[in-house]
Structures are given as C-alpha cells and as structure tokens.
Amino acid sequence: MAYKSINPYTNELIKEYPNTTDEELEKTLSSAEALYQDWKNISITERAQQLHNVAAGIRSNASELAKACTIDMGKLYRESVGEVELCAVIADWFADHGEELLKPEKVDTIATGEAEILHQATGVIVMVEPWNFPYYQIMRVFAPNFMVGNPVILKDASNIPTSAQLFCDIIAKSGAPKGALTNLFLSYDQVTKAIEDPRVQGAALTGSERGGISVAGAAGKNLKKNTMELGGMDAFIVLGDANMNDVNDIAWRARLYNAGQVCTSSKRFIVMDSVYDEFVAALKKNFAAVKPGDPLNSDTTLAPMNTKNAKEKLQKQLDEAIDNGAQVVYGNEPIDLPGQFFKPTILANITKDNPAYHTEFFGPIASVYKVHSEQEAINLANDNPYGLGGIVFAGDADHGAEVAAKVETGMVFVNNFMASLPELPFGGVKLSGYGREMSHLGAMAFTNDKLVVKAQKPDMTNLAGGLIATDPEK
Ligand code: NAP
C-alpha cells in the first residue's frame, strides 16, 4: 500500500512516503514497551503537565497543521483550524481531569478489609484511524491513553501521511516522551502483526466495517481488548412543531460539513408531513447556495471530497440508488472544476428494497423521508443497521428528549447541531461499533480496573466453604 499525499483540489501529488519496515516496527514496539515500564514510576501529575505542553505546541503550530490537513484531504481551511483547536481542547481537558477520572474507587463490600479499584495502564495500544479528521481522530485515543500510561502506535489512512506525521512530530517536539505516540506507515499485514505482538494490549479503530472486521478480528483472535468507531446513517428527525428557522439553518450544515464526510453527518432527514415541503425547499435552496472552490480560500463553502476514489464510489452508489427508484430532488450534476467536487444532492422516494435505504453515503448526499406520525419517524430511524448518532428537532426540548431516548443509537442531540467535546462520550451501537471514546468512558477504554482488598489480618470467623472471608462487623 502506498502512503501518498495528493491534494484533492489540484490533484497534485505532494509527497509519497516509504512503507515502514518490519525492523522499524520492532524498534517502535520496543521503545513503546520501554516507556510503558518507565511510566509505572512516573506520577500522573507529570504526564498532565506534558499533555498541557502538547496542547500549547498544537496551538502554536495551528496554521501549519491546518494547512497541511486541508492540502491532504481537502477540508475547508476554517474547519481545519477548528479541528486543530479542538485537539488542543481535548489534550487540556484530559490533562486537567485525567487524575480525577483515574483515581482509585472505593468499593462498599462485606469482604474483610477495604476494597478499591485501581485504574491502571495495560500496555501498548495500536490505533488505526481514518482521513476525515486527520488530527482529532488521533487525539481522541492519544490523550486519554497518555494520562493512563498506555503508549500508542498509530497507523493512519494512506492518503494523509503528511498531516499524520506532522501532528506526531509536533506532539513529540512539545515534550511527549519517545514512544508515547509513533506514526508508522504500516501495511495491513503489519497492523495484524503488531496486534498479535504480546507487548500490545489493545486496538482502537475508527473507520469502515471493512477495516473494523479486520482489526477487531485480529484483536479477537489474540484476545486483545478493542474499540470500534464505525460508520453511521444518522437520522435528523423533524417533528411538526419544530422551529423551522432553526431546522433549516442547521440541516444543510449537518449534511455538508466536511463535504459530508463525517460519521455523524445527518444522512437521513425524517420529516413530518406538515413541514416536509417547507423543509425540502429550504434544503434545496441552501444546497444550491454553496460555493465550491479552493478550500484554502475563506469564501469557499463547499470542499472537494478527499480522493478521486471516494468521489467515484459515491457516484456509483448514487447511480445505483437512482436505478432502484430513488428520485433526485436536487443535484447529481458535475461541478466544472478539476478537484474532486461532488454536487450536493437530495434524494427522495427511497424504498426499503433500495440499497440506499441501508447503506451509508459518505459524501454530500441527503436522503429525505416524509412521515405521518412520530412513531413512524422513530421506527424509520431505527430500521437501520447502524446506530451512531442523531438529531431530533421538536417544539418542546423535553418532548424531543423523549423521542431521542427511543432512537437506537449511541448519541442524540435535541434542537441542535451535534458537537464532539472531550467530556461527552462518543460511540455507537449495532454496525456503528462498540466502546466509547472521550469522557470518563474513553479514559477507561484500555485500563486494568484492578481490585485491591486490604485487610490488616485475615478474618476466618465467617468463612463460607473456604471461599469468602467476611467481616462480622458489617
Ligand atoms: P477505512 O477504509 O476502514 O479506513 C480507516 C482506517 O482503517 C485507515 O487507516 C485504513 O488504512 C485502515 N484499514 C482499512 N482496512 C484495513 C485492514 N484490513 N487492516 C488494517 N487497517 C485497515 O475507512 P474509510 O472508508 O476511509 O473511512 C470512512 C468510514 O469511517 C465511514 O464509514 C465513516 O462513517 C467511518 N467513521 C467513523 C467514525 C466514528 O467515530 N464512528 C469517525 C469517522 C469515520 P488505509 O487508508 O491504508 O486503507
């Protein structure tokens, strides 16, 4: 597999990187393992300070990072700037809260002695990440594991090698010790080899089911813990009493942000019949108003897709949807620019037997569905193999939250755009994966939650079958 940075706006090959050799992989595993052992003797307070330094290093290199990421995968420059700042926010948050999140927990027990759970490091973690958020995806795994004391080896997507390397170099220069985060240009076989290695204790993947099945398969075969952040077909439910100004202002952004290449993009708009026509008209108007162009320019509002392959795959899916009866309400026309642009498109009339009903469009295509009752909206949202996020717009936020509770996904936002912040758990159910990143749950993804029960001396008074010693006072 070739690691190549190709600018999707100009189609220019920027740089190609050689694959990592097996010797380099071995060296990385051994320095990561050495750091894991060293970190056992280093206080978490020291790591917190280093992580704050990492946040500061990211901030002081923000423009270079943002530009590299826009050139690698086409994201609008202002969105790249936002992503870089979010990474610094995540690093600062785990630095500020890591010690509290990971402190030992007392357990109330009838066992003799005092029981507590220690949240300890387990060892080296392999992370496999996608191209759509070149920095944020790394930070979601790196920051909590840095506080825990688990070194991380990164295999990033093969189309963003420049930004992956730059981010890891800046983190190292900002004071993260050698081995804390190492970017390698690994083949799929080397990813499996790394996961099989006894020094590696876990694997985290964000990406497609194809990648997930392979990495989770290797982890399962070797009995290693793993987390899977996979695809989504998030529903955006609009109830009849929703504030339509807010809905119309947010719906197009929720689909077109990052050129529609977000796992939690709203991909299915499920709209009550009373407001359906108004909704579709506004979505059409907003899709028609975007301006494709150089993603580094501040007046561009539609970015190119990340690669030629991604664009071709999306067009194939769209053609298949239309062949199976979907109606094009807007779009499906070429954009006359050399970059990998895809015209925002709206599809209606998607029946259950259409592949588009249950496959993810990872680009700027919105599917709209008209429903006649709230229950029909919930049933349609749940009639899907994925379960990542979702949005509900309702006149009354409490009622919106009741609907949100019935949607089978890992995250739902009511009357607002979805936001990803370090204190909020991120992850899904069904084919969207398992485990959570960020928050207290993400901090514990790869910990050894070790029980220690401390008695001053043995107490045999209540010995039941020789198996449990209980405290007669309790
Ligand atoms: P992908 O093909 O699975 O790629 C993701 C990463 O997995 C890349 O680094 C890729 O490397 C690697 N990979 C793929 N197959 C592999 C294998 N057999 N062994 C080892 N590594 C492998 O995913 P994508 O299509 O680029 O990304 C888009 C998908 O990710 C969408 O479905 C999207 O919804 C999902 N996603 C989910 C989340 C979330 O948090 N739930 C966030 C963002 C994206 P190469 O580049 O070298 O192939």
Side-chain angles (χ1 to χ4, degrees), residues 1 3 128-133 137 140 155-159 186-189 191-192 205-212 214-215 228-232 261-264 267 313 360 362 386 388 426-428 432 437:
M1 170 195 328
Y3 282 83
V128 179
E129 299 300 328
W131 43 265
N132 64 342
F133 290 93
Q137 301 286 5
R140 289 197 330 192
K155 182 260 180 277
D156 216 330
S158 48
N159 60 320
L186 298 175
S187 67
Y188 294 170
D189 285 348
V191 170
T192 302
L205 174 132
T206 295
S208 64
E209 285 151 71
R210 172 185 74 102
S214 173
V215 168
M228 290 289 130
E229 297 286 353
L230 308 177
Q261 305 164 115
V262 185
C263 52
T264 52
K267 294 178 186 132
K313 182 181 166 201
E360 181 187 26
F362 211 57
Y386 296 98
L388 192 56
F426 193 105
S432 295
E437 291 184 349

Side-chain angles (χ1 to χ4, degrees), residues 187-203:
S187 67
Y188 294 170
D189 285 348
Q190 286 172 315
V191 170
T192 302
K193 204 169 153 193
I195 293 170
E196 283 167 355
D197 192 283
R199 290 163 288 192
V200 168
Q201 292 303 321

Side-chain angles (χ1 to χ4, degrees), residues 296-344:
L296 288 170
N297 284 351
S298 58
D299 59 348
T300 300
T301 52
L302 181 73
M305 292 189 66
N306 75 102
T307 58
K308 186 165 179 280
N309 270 354
K311 179 184 162 178
E312 286 170 359
K313 182 181 166 201
L314 190 67
Q315 186 64 53
K316 214 165 145 214
Q317 280 181 286
L318 176 56
D319 293 344
E320 189 182 34
I322 296 166
D323 288 347
N324 281 276
Q327 175 207 349
V328 177
V329 175
Y330 178 78
N332 191 25
E333 286 160 6
I335 288 182
D336 190 18
L337 282 171
Q340 303 308 320
F341 288 95
F342 199 99
K343 182 139 182 155

